[in-house]
Structures are given as structure tokens and as C-alpha cells.
């Protein structure tokens, strides 16, 4: 199937629904999981849902700005993953766990 | 079919059943890819073994890259594979393996939290879908096929978006320095602490 027929037979709203579902799955993961690394992964999933929406709009409207924003989101996601994982490793050294339920030392 | 007659009992649900039926008329490539994407995403969220979660997330990224190819965004498809599936996920996998996290020490939560999270995520999905349903205006299609190629994206990136590009470079540098600092400096501190503190505990 060539991309041209995809554009003709598929509305952009299908991509909106798909990325909404992906975003909500990521949100469900963030709310339910207690492992900090899996939490970061769920955030990556939500970022990817947004990326997919950006690319869909950019392709359907013929504007390349959306794809560049995806590029910048990827940059931020990579930086976030690196720093987040460094923090998690650091916390693991102190608490021997990555359970976010244990990260309540700042509560006072 | 039994479900459809059940849905027709309430007038509001006729639209949903019609929508589900109209899904079958979509291009099979999109349907199959969406199915794989959502299935893998659900697997990421629900599986209790973090390593399997990472592998499922890599599969999700692959299918999202396939979506990008379908949408004529070839450059982003390749970048998504290299950056996400190649670099970030390997980083996650390395950390998981280094910390030796597996199913046994995976923290669990009460089922009530699951229900609450499912309800809130479902409500968000409902609101998004309802908002989309209200504003069902189709976007004008003047899609140029060559928009996602490196040539066009690079031209826009290095003219219009030059300042954000340079700023993201600085951000990367700061993140790199921060990650190294967090990973290294703390280790010496912890080592000196761990010599004294465990005896107190």
C-alpha cells in the first residue's frame, strides 16, 4: 500500500484516536506502576503518543514544523531518560530499591 | 453480533457500534499496525517483569516507526528507531540489568489503585474522544510527499529553527554532564557513607 492511498482512505481523526489511546495507556501505567524505571518507560510511551500525533498532523497539513517538534521532543526525552536513570541509580544505591513508594524522605 | 444488538438498546451507543464497524473499512496496514502498537503498549503497562516491559516497549517503538513511514515521515522513522529503540531503550535495559531488577522484587499495589487508575485513564480517553467527536472537521489535505525527507527537514531546521536546535545541543550537554555527575560523584559519597552508616542501622 502506497502512502498516497493511506492519506486518501484514512482521516487524521483515526490517528488522533490511536494516540489518545496510547496516551491513556501510558497514563494508566504511570498511575499503577511503582517501579521508577517502568514509570519512566510509561512517560516515554506518552511522549511517543504525542509524537505520533505531531507527525500525523504535520503530514496531513503538509507542514514540516510538526516533524521538527517531534525531533525536539526526542532530544528532550533522551536527556530526560539519561538524567532520570542516573537519579534512579543514585537512589537505588541509597535505598536498595526503585519503589517510588519508598521515595518519601522529603516529606519532612 | 450479540454485542451490537445490545449496544443498539441505548441510542448513544449506536454511534460507537457504527464507529467500530467502520474500523473494518480502514486500510489493513493501519489496522494491523495500530493493533500491534496498542497490544504492545498494554503489555508494557501490565507486565510485572520490567525486562519484558522494555522489550515490549521496543516493539511499540518499531510499530510507531512503521506508522511514521505510512505518514511519509521517513527521516523521523529512522531517527525514532536509532534514538528510541537503539539508544534510550538500551540505556533502560542496561540500568535494569545493572540493578538486577526482576519479577521477585517488583513492587506491587492494591487492586483498588488499579481500578482507580483505570477509571481515571478511561475518563481521560472519554473526554479526549468526546472533544474530538464534537469538533469533527476534517483537515485540509495538501500533503506533500517529500516533506519528511532529510533535505526538506534539514533546510527548515537550519534556517527557521536554528536557535532551538542550538539550545537543544546545550540541553544535551547539560544533561550529559548532569548524568555523569549524578552517577559518579554520588558513588564516592555513598561509598564513604556506606563504610560508616550500616553499622548504625
Amino acid at each position: 500500500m502506497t502512502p498516497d492511498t493511506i492519506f486518501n482512505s484514512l482521516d487524521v481523526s483515526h490517528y488522533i484516536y490511536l494516540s489518545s489511546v496510547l496516551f491513556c495507556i501510558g497514563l494508566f501505567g504511570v498511575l499503577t506502576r511503582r517501579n521508577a524505571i517502568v514509570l519512566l518507560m510509561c512517560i516515554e510511551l506518552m511522549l511517543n503518543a504525542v509524537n505520533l500525533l505531531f507527525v500525523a498532523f504535520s503530514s496531513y497539513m503538509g507542514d514540516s514544523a510538526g516533524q521538527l517538534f517531534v525531533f525536539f521532543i526526542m532530544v528532550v526525552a533522551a536527556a530526560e531518560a539519561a538524567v532520570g536513570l542516573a537519579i534512579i541509580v543514585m537512589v537505588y544505591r541509597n535505598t536498595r530499591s526503585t519503589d517510588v513508594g519508598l521515595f518519601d524522605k522529603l516529606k519532612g | 453480533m450479540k454485542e451490537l444488538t445490545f449496544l443498539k438498546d441505548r441510542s448513544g451507543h449506536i454511534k460507537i457500534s457504527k464507529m467500530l464497524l467502520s474500523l473494518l473499512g480502514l486500510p489493513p496496514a493501519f489496522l494491523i499496525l495500530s493493533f500491534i502498537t496498542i497490544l504492545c503498549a498494554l503489555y508494557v503497562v501490565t507486565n510485572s517483569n520490567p525486562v519484558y516491559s522494555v522489550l515490549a516497549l521496543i516493539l511499540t517503538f518499531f510499530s510507531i516507526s512503521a506508522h511514521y513511514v505510512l505518514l511519509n515521515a521517513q527521516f523521523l522513522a529512522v531517527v525514532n528507531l536509532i534514538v528510541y529503540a537503539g539508544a534510550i531503550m538500551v540505556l533502560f535495559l542496561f540500568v535494569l540489568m545493572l540493578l538486577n531488577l526482576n519479577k521477585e522484587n517488583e513492587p506491587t499495589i492494591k487492586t483498588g489503585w488499579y481500578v482507580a487508575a483505570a477509571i481515571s485513564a478511561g475518563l481521560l480517553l472519554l473526554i479526549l474522544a468526546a472533544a474530538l467527536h464534537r469538533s469533527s472537521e476534517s483537515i485540509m489535505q495538501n500533503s506533500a510527499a517529500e516533506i519528511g525527507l532529510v533535505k526538506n527537514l534539514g533546510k527548515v531546521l537550519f534556517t527557521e529553527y536554528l536557535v532551538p536546535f542550538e539550545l537543544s545541543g546545550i540541553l544535551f550537554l547539560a544533561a550529559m554532564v548532569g548524568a555523569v555527575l549524578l552517577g559518579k560523584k554520588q558513588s564516592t559519597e555513598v561509598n564513604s557513607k556506606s563504610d560508616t552508616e550500616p553499622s548504625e542501622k
Side-chain angles (χ1 to χ4, degrees):
Chain A
M1 179 157 296
T2 58
D4 288 330
T5 58
I6 283 285
F7 282 116
N8 291 332
S9 57
L10 202 61
D11 199 40
V12 72
S13 64
H14 294 114
Y15 277 104
I16 303 180
Y17 281 124
L18 173 63
S19 45
S20 302
V21 170
L22 271 184
F23 190 86
C24 290
I25 291 173
L27 178 73
F28 177 74
V30 167
L31 289 176
T32 51
R33 301 306 293 267
R34 282 290 166 270
N35 189 344
I37 297 175
V38 182
L39 227 65
L40 270 183
M41 279 161 50
C42 292
I43 293 172
E44 299 287 335
L45 195 61
M46 291 163 85
L47 283 173
N48 258 275
V50 176
N51 280 353
L52 183 61
L53 199 54
F54 262 119
V55 173
F57 272 118
S58 153
S59 296
Y60 273 90
M61 298 188 73
D63 190 355
S64 58
Q67 301 197 8
L68 285 172
F69 270 96
V70 172
F71 194 66
F72 290 126
I73 290 176
M74 281 181 186
V75 169
V76 173
E80 169 239 320
V83 175
L85 284 174
I87 292 174
I88 289 173
V89 170
M90 195 187 74
V91 169
Y92 181 81
R93 287 203 190 110
N94 285 324
T95 64
R96 288 284 142 198
S97 167
T98 55
D99 188 352
V100 286
L102 299 174
F103 301 167
D104 55 358
K105 296 275 161 54
L106 286 179
K107 208 162 57 182
Chain B
M1 291 308 282
K2 199 178 177 184
E3 283 178 11
L4 287 180
T5 51
F6 167 69
L7 286 174
K8 274 175 188 167
D9 289 343
R10 287 175 239 169
S11 58
H13 286 171
I14 293 176
K15 278 178 184 170
I16 297 176
S17 60
K18 269 185 187 171
M19 209 177 74
L20 287 178
L21 274 180
S22 71
L23 277 181
L24 295 177
L26 293 179
F30 174 78
L31 272 187
I32 295 168
L33 279 177
S34 307
F35 187 69
I36 295 174
T37 310
I38 292 176
L39 214 65
C40 290
L42 279 176
Y43 192 76
V44 171
V45 168
T46 53
N47 193 14
S48 59
N49 193 338
V51 178
Y52 289 162
S53 286
V54 171
L55 295 179
L57 195 57
I58 290 174
L59 265 184
T60 314
F61 289 158
F62 267 92
S63 57
I64 286 177
S65 279
H67 273 298
Y68 289 170
V69 173
L70 275 187
L71 285 167
N72 266 344
Q74 293 90 348
F75 174 65
L76 277 181
V78 175
V79 166
N80 194 46
L81 279 188
I82 294 174
V83 172
Y84 266 116
I88 298 182
M89 283 303 114
V90 169
L91 196 64
F92 273 93
L93 210 54
F94 259 110
V95 171
L96 275 178
M97 302 267 180
L98 276 177
L99 302 189
N100 201 14
L101 296 173
N102 42 30
K103 207 171 179 177
E104 285 86 54
N105 40 26
E106 176 74 9
T108 52
I109 60 171
K110 295 173 192 164
T111 22
W113 283 105
Y114 274 107
V115 175
I119 287 174
S120 46
L123 279 179
L124 179 67
L125 183 61
L126 194 70
I127 288 170
L128 287 175
L132 176 66
H133 196 70
R134 288 270 173 171
S135 65
S136 57
E137 284 183 29
S138 61
I139 292 177
M140 219 193 299
Q141 292 180 13
N142 50 355
S143 54
E146 68 274 8
I147 236 177
L149 296 182
V150 187
K151 190 182 167 189
N152 288 13
L153 279 183
K155 210 177 274 176
V156 182
L157 182 64
F158 289 114
T159 52
E160 273 184 71
Y161 292 89
L162 186 62
V163 178
F165 177 73
E166 299 288 344
L167 285 179
S168 63
I170 296 173
L171 175 73
F172 248 141
L173 187 67
M176 197 175 73
V177 171
V180 170
L181 206 69
L182 280 174
K184 198 174 181 185
K185 191 183 171 190
Q186 203 66 20
S187 70
T188 56
E189 242 172 60
V190 167
N191 283 342
S192 62
K193 264 186 194 171
S194 61
D195 293 338
T196 58
E197 272 193 1
S199 55
E200 293 169 13
K201 283 174 185 173

